Amino acid sequence: FYNARFSYLHMKYLFFSWLAVFVGSWIVYVEYSSYTELCRGHDCKNSICDKYRKGVIDGSACSSLCEKGTLYLGKCFSSKPNSQVYSGSWGDLEGVIKCQMEEVPNYDLGAEMEPKKEAVAFNKPTKGTSVEKFKEMILGHLKAKVGDQANLPDLATVVLSIADANKDGHISLPEARSMWALLQLNEFLLALVLQDREHTPKLLGFCGDLYVVEKVPYSPLYGISLPWVIELWIPAGLRRSMDQWFTPSWPRKAKISIALLELVEDIFHGTFGSFLMCDVSATNFGYNDRHDLKVLDARYIVPEASFQEGMRERRCDVDEDCLYGVDCHTSCDLTKHRCTPEVTRPNLAKACSALKDYILRGAPSDMSEELEKQLYACIALKGSAEQMEIEHSLILNNLKTLLWKKISHTKDS
């Protein structure tokens, strides 16, 4: 009996040992496969440097990346294979390197962009194109993206000054090709539009459609990352509470929240047209040592004019077919089986949803009730901002004023 019991325990131990080894090996395999699929930065670098050496492209980061070796890729942060994101060091500068792995369409309203085999061709502008002709190309592209804005020539002039990477007063064909490729990216376009504000990280350099921006020290805005095995067992309410554990003091959170509200203000009827925020999640924002808000990932902050044009052409059977990104919804016109162009929820309502738990936690007791009331009024906003401009502006200003009055006398302001 003793031997039988020992044998049974021995077999049980062996079974669970092998099971643990199998499950562990499977997890390692899945993680490794995921990493190798997502993290292809060195392929991206090799492709860019090959084109640089052939004289196809040029830019302020090319020599450091491809010849001197002073700009190099660090840790991988990519969340999609076609958009490579790495930490990077460039001499004494700490930055973030972003590189596109597949062809970037002019505007793709698919919920997910399908990977494509062809790389960006870098064939525009063509040989013999004058600077004036290139400026016309830029103006035409900007007009298609953001609509016919009166001051687009000013933005085109900024683009040309950045394109002159070596600041010799002359834009070479390789420099022009790099800039044209960058202009196809929503994220790069937004950085140009918001260049005079502090919402986007500063551009440090570029080479082809690879570009380097300053590092944002604190990200995401809030939330903690847990292994997926643990995530499965945590109730949703507790998970939301855990996301707020390691956030700054309340006055500093108020300053960051005001900055997000100002970003909403800046991209709604801004200097160069309106933009829609189609993924307002904490992972897309961070902040620096002064607690200035920074946009980490602006791929889903898209020009409203381009969005509306794309939606008008999209076929649909139900409202759910009319979604771009995470939260840019329109409705389905069943008479035409086409999506309507107007979003059902403005940027401000999405921003308030993202801020609610963040700013209410730790809020001073003498204003928390009023703050909660205003946040819920903000979250309840429906329709496009144009349709309810007065109410939109009133709620935004009331929220900013409430927060600012509470922190204006503190050093955090």
Side-chain angles (χ1 to χ4, degrees), residues 51-68:
K51 290 178 177 63
Y52 167 64
R53 292 186 188 104
K54 289 176 179 175
V56 177
I57 56 173
D58 201 357
S60 52
C62 291
S63 176
S64 298
L65 179 72
C66 305
E67 292 176 343
K68 298 175 183 174

Side-chain angles (χ1 to χ4, degrees), residues 103-319:
E103 184 181 12
V104 179
N106 284 338
Y107 199 74
D108 183 357
L109 278 171
E112 295 291 333
M113 283 194 280
E114 290 296 320
K116 299 183 180 179
K117 292 179 182 176
E118 318 95 275
V120 176
F122 297 111
N123 56 4
K124 289 184 181 180
T126 54
K127 194 172 182 180
T129 303
S130 66
V131 173
E132 278 306 309
K133 180 63 179 172
F134 184 45
K135 187 172 184 179
E136 284 177 27
M137 286 174 63
I138 292 169
L139 277 169
H141 176 72
L142 294 175
K143 186 176 176 181
K145 279 281 191 179
V146 301
D148 194 3
Q149 309 295 323
N151 45 11
L152 283 186
D154 297 339
L155 189 57
T157 301
V158 171
V159 171
L160 289 173
S161 71
I162 297 171
D164 180 15
N166 57 6
K167 303 303 175 193
D168 63 353
H170 168 72
I171 299 172
S172 66
L173 184 60
E175 286 174 336
R177 284 174 176 156
S178 289
M179 182 50 62
W180 184 254
L182 287 170
L183 282 175
Q184 312 309 308
L185 308 174
N186 284 329
E187 188 163 35
F188 189 81
L189 181 62
L190 185 77
L192 289 175
V193 167
L194 296 177
Q195 59 181 311
D196 295 330
R197 308 291 289 169
E198 292 190 345
H199 305 311
T200 54
K202 182 182 175 185
L203 177 70
L204 301 178
F206 64 91
C207 184
D209 60 353
L210 176 149
Y211 60 105
V212 190
V213 294
E214 67 177 338
K215 183 180 178 181
V216 178
Y218 303 102
S219 64
L221 186 58
Y222 57 81
I224 56 174
S225 179
L226 296 171
W228 61 270
V229 177
I230 297 174
E231 291 269 14
L232 293 173
W233 301 98
I234 300 177
L238 175 60
R239 186 68 183 89
R240 280 201 311 276
S241 177
M242 289 171 67
D243 278 339
Q244 305 301 330
W245 282 358
F246 303 106
T247 52
S249 64
W250 189 86
R252 288 172 172 168
K253 288 196 292 183
K255 182 186 179 185
I256 293 166
S257 300
I258 290 169
L260 181 55
L261 296 173
E262 286 176 343
L263 171 63
V264 170
E265 206 168 16
D266 288 341
I267 64 175
F268 169 58
H269 285 335
T271 313
F272 303 106
S274 297
F275 285 72
L276 296 173
M277 301 170 77
C278 296
D279 186 1
V280 190
S281 53
T283 53
N284 291 334
F285 300 94
Y287 55 94
N288 61 17
D289 293 319
R290 298 190 307 274
H291 297 88
D292 299 322
L293 179 89
K294 299 287 181 182
V295 180
L296 298 177
D297 186 347
R299 284 175 297 165
Y300 287 107
I301 301 181
V302 297
E304 187 175 34
S306 299
F307 173 86
Q308 291 183 341
E309 183 186 342
M311 276 299 177
R312 284 190 191 98
E313 296 172 0
R314 182 186 278 199
R315 284 192 57 82
C316 64
D317 295 310
V318 291
D319 288 348

